[in-house]
Structure formats: structure tokens, C-alpha cells
Amino acid sequence: MAGGKIQKKRHQHRWGGGVPFEKSKGQHILKNPMLVETIVHKSGIKPTDVVLEIGPGTGNLTKKLLEVAKSVVAVELDPRMVLELNRRFQGTPHSSRLKLIEGDVLKCELPYFDICVANIPYQISSPLTFKLLAHRPAFRGAVVMFQREFAMRLVANPGDALYCRLSVNTQLLARVSHLLKVGRNNFRPPPKVDSSVVRIEPRRPLPPVSFKEWDGLVRLCFNRKNKTLGSIFRQKSVLSLLEKNYKTLQALQATQKVQMEEDKVSSEDVTVLAEMIEELSMGDDEEKEVEEEEEEMEVEEDMDLVGEGGESCSFKDKVLRVLKQGDFAEKRAAKLTQVDFLYLLSLLNEAGIHFS
């Protein structure tokens, strides 16, 4: 019979005999009512707030959000879930305060909202985080369920093993805090990993920095985050790129400083930081192997540089003087704060050294 075929598909699970959920689409529904209550409470929702919910599923969290918020805008990709939500809330006192948007949250234009609450497919964690941070006008806060490792990278501090480009870029734009750990058995079907709930509060105003310049510096430093900056900036490939940018900017007389106010920051500027962030699959052993290989290359590159003309050596000296000026030559990216990176970037830019 028809039902028998569905039961044979291991990746599909039914909730209460109704809609089948698919793990491949990241569909894991919160089944613990106490956990739902806790998430709503920690969201700090006011009676006047418009709440954006991403991935409402069958509406367990949606129902609690409607009880405390002025209104809820729920974005759901799966048309079956949208139908289920319409059936659940149709004819209830909450129906007039619930707006459903069927579509991909990464592609659709988000409306105004004060608070975001989301239990998302983990594969969209990074692009969604930066899409939210690029949203204008800025919201007050977001409470989001992430895969635990991703969450711990978001909140990692300098010196932590998980501190990476994702940590630095996110914390440049927002204050991030860990709220609670969530075991996999709180979901149906249970995912393969534990989760964590994180609060994200956009900074106001944003630091006056060119995000393209920022990303260029941070990406360069975190490619070898446990090496000293002096070692990184001595590499022939790095010096060659920076010197090319230096000469181009001199020729164009484009040494102006970029000042950005919060309301002038575009989505394109912010989403630069979402590109090419450190891969979560990169393990410590793999990273160590990469660093060992690059250490051998570095020796060769330094030897090549010594024999080059005075102009290149002069530029190398210029870069190293800037590092020494800010006492950065012996420091490592893995232990630098956002303030450290901002100061280093300002010193380099003032010297005419740019990354884009």
C-alpha cells in the first residue's frame, strides 16, 4: 500500500502521523515544551514587538511566540509545512497576527522585525547569520538554534581553540552570547549532533571600517592563525599582492579613508564577511599539516626575496615597520581581538597598504 513505501524511506519521519519530516532538508522539530518556553523567555520579546521566525515547522514555537508578541512573520520553505501551519492557526485568535511567507529565507526579502527567533537547517547557518546582520533597519536581537560546534565558534574568544574568522567577523558586527546547550533528543527526528541557542545583538553604531579591507586582513591572518604576523607578512606572495595594491592606489591617488555610518552600510558590504570563512570541517590535524607545508615554503620565499631589487625590499621594510610600530610582529591572529585587528588595519591603511 502507499503508506508502506513511505515507511521504507529511512530519512523520513512522521510527526503525530501527519507531515513526514526529512533530515536531508534539515527538518528537526522541537518536541520539548519546556525548551520552547525557555527559548521564548530568553528572547526578551515585548508586547509591541514584531517577531521574525525562521523555520516554524509545525508551529510549536510559533504558538508561544504569538502569545507574547504583537505579531509573527514566519518564513517556511516547505509548502507542506505552510499548509500545516495554516490549518493549525486558522480560526484561532492568533490567526490575524500571523503572516506566513513561503520561500527560501536566503533569497527572499525580509520585512521589518524587532526580534528574530529561529530553529534553522544547520547547512544555512553562516549565510543566514550574515544576512540577518546585513538587514536594515537593524533589529534588537536574534535568538537562534545552531549546531553546537558552529555556535561555539561564534562565541569563541581570542586564544580559544575554536577562535576563527567566523568568530572575528561576527563579533565585529554584533555582541554574541551562548544561552543554552540543547541535546539532540529534544528534536524529532533527532539530529546527529547537539545544538546550542545563541543570542546575537547587532552593534550600534558599526565600526567605521571598510569591510572589504577588514576581510582581506582577517582572511590573510587566519590562513595561518598560529603563526606570527611578522612571519605571515614576510611571505613573498603576500608582499607581492600588497605591493601591487600599493602601486595601483598611488597611481590612482586613491588613498582616501573610508568612513561608514550605520545607516550607510549596504548589504553587499556586510555579506563580504560571509564569504570564504574558515571551513568547519577543517580539523586541527589538517590545519597543522597545512602550516608545516607553508613553513617550508616561507623559508624558500624569504630566500627569494633577499635577492630581489631594492624596491621590493624597501616595501617589505615598510610593511614590517608598521607591524613593529603597533607591536604586532610577534603576535598571532589566534590571540588578537577585534580592537587589535581594527588598530592594525588602521596602521596599514595609513601607510598606504591595502587589501582590496
Side-chain angles (χ1 to χ4, degrees):
M1 65 183 187
K5 291 183 179 179
I6 294 177
Q7 291 172 2
K8 289 180 181 179
K9 294 181 180 180
R10 295 181 180 180
H11 64 285
Q12 291 187 334
H13 299 256
R14 288 186 178 272
W15 176 258
V19 180
F21 300 127
E22 299 180 8
K23 284 186 176 182
S24 61
K25 293 182 178 179
Q27 294 178 340
H28 302 279
I29 307 301
L30 277 173
K31 66 176 185 178
N32 185 338
M34 291 299 295
L35 181 57
V36 172
E37 292 275 6
T38 300
I39 291 173
V40 173
H41 175 70
K42 289 185 177 293
S43 299
I45 298 169
K46 301 176 182 178
T48 56
D49 283 341
V50 175
V51 175
L52 173 70
E53 184 185 10
I54 301 171
T58 56
N60 294 341
L61 183 56
T62 313
K63 181 176 181 296
K64 293 298 180 181
L65 293 173
L66 286 166
E67 292 174 1
V68 296
K70 177 183 178 181
S71 62
V72 174
V73 179
V75 182
E76 175 57 59
L77 176 63
D78 192 335
R80 302 169 306 154
M81 297 294 180
V82 174
L83 182 61
E84 185 73 15
L85 288 164
N86 278 319
R87 288 173 177 170
R88 179 169 185 172
F89 293 103
Q90 187 176 16
T92 69
H94 301 314
S95 61
S96 62
R97 295 187 291 110
L98 173 62
K99 178 182 178 181
L100 293 175
I101 298 176
E102 181 181 333
D104 186 341
V105 69
L106 297 180
K107 297 178 181 178
C108 68
E109 185 175 346
L110 298 178
Y112 171 88
F113 63 93
D114 300 293
I115 297 289
C116 174
V117 180
N119 174 26
I120 62 171
Y122 294 148
Q123 60 265 32
I124 68 169
S125 295
S126 177
L128 177 62
T129 298
F130 287 96
K131 174 161 186 170
L132 290 175
L133 291 173
H135 184 72
R136 294 295 179 269
F139 53 95
R140 193 167 74 250
V143 173
V144 186
M145 182 90 69
F146 291 115
Q147 177 181 333
R148 180 162 175 78
E149 183 180 0
F150 183 90
M152 299 316 292
R153 287 176 181 266
L154 283 180
V155 303
N157 294 314
D160 292 348
L162 292 178
Y163 190 61
C164 60
R165 287 177 61 201
L166 174 65
S167 320
V168 177
N169 286 342
T170 306
Q171 293 171 31
L172 173 74
L173 303 173
R175 288 176 291 275
V176 190
S177 54
H178 183 269
L179 296 181
L180 66 150
K181 181 180 178 180
V182 181
R184 64 196 75 182
N185 291 329
N186 288 288
F187 300 89
R188 182 175 297 181
K192 294 181 179 180
V193 295
D194 290 332
S195 306
S196 279
V197 179
V198 171
R199 176 182 284 119
I200 301 172
E201 299 171 287
R203 295 189 186 277
R204 302 181 188 182
L206 288 172
V209 61
S210 163
F211 292 151
K212 289 184 178 180
E213 285 289 306
W214 167 273
D215 185 60
L217 171 63
V218 173
R219 176 155 37 92
L220 175 65
C221 293
F222 273 93
N223 279 343
R224 305 174 66 197
K225 68 176 184 178
N226 292 314
K227 291 294 180 183
T228 64
L229 297 186
S231 172
I232 292 171
F233 279 88
R234 282 188 178 92
Q235 293 180 72
K236 183 179 178 181
S237 57
V238 173
L239 287 169
S240 176
L241 172 64
L242 295 180
E243 187 172 13
K244 180 181 178 181
N245 291 343
Y246 179 73
K247 290 179 178 178
T248 301
L249 289 171
Q250 277 194 323
L252 297 175
Q253 296 182 344
T255 56
Q256 62 187 21
K257 296 180 183 178
V258 179
Q259 296 295 327
M260 289 185 177
E261 299 173 3
E262 178 187 9
D263 57 355
K264 293 181 181 178
V265 178
S266 67
S267 297
E268 289 78 9
D269 290 326
V270 176
T271 50
V272 165
L273 302 184
E275 299 175 358
M276 298 174 66
I277 63 171
E278 182 176 336
E279 293 290 339
L280 292 178
S281 59
M282 172 72 84
D284 292 337
D285 292 338
E286 292 179 31
E287 192 172 82
K288 188 179 296 183
E289 289 176 7
V290 170
E291 290 185 349
E292 288 174 352
E293 291 175 4
E294 290 184 336
E295 188 171 0
E296 294 176 3
M297 292 174 60
E298 178 191 330
V299 174
E300 295 176 4
E301 288 176 343
D302 277 346
M303 291 177 66
D304 290 341
L305 197 61
V306 171
E308 292 187 353
E311 188 177 353
S312 293
C313 289
S314 175
F315 183 78
K316 174 185 175 183
D317 293 339
K318 180 184 184 70
V319 173
L320 296 181
R321 278 199 304 270
V322 173
L323 294 180
K324 291 178 182 178
Q325 177 187 345
D327 195 27
F328 285 107
E330 299 303 319
K331 292 182 178 179
R332 292 167 169 78
K335 296 186 177 181
L336 296 184
T337 66
Q338 285 75 33
V339 174
D340 292 329
F341 279 113
L342 286 169
Y343 179 45
L344 174 57
L345 182 61
S346 69
L347 291 177
L348 291 166
N349 286 172
E350 285 175 6
I353 301 166
H354 293 265
F355 298 85
S356 62

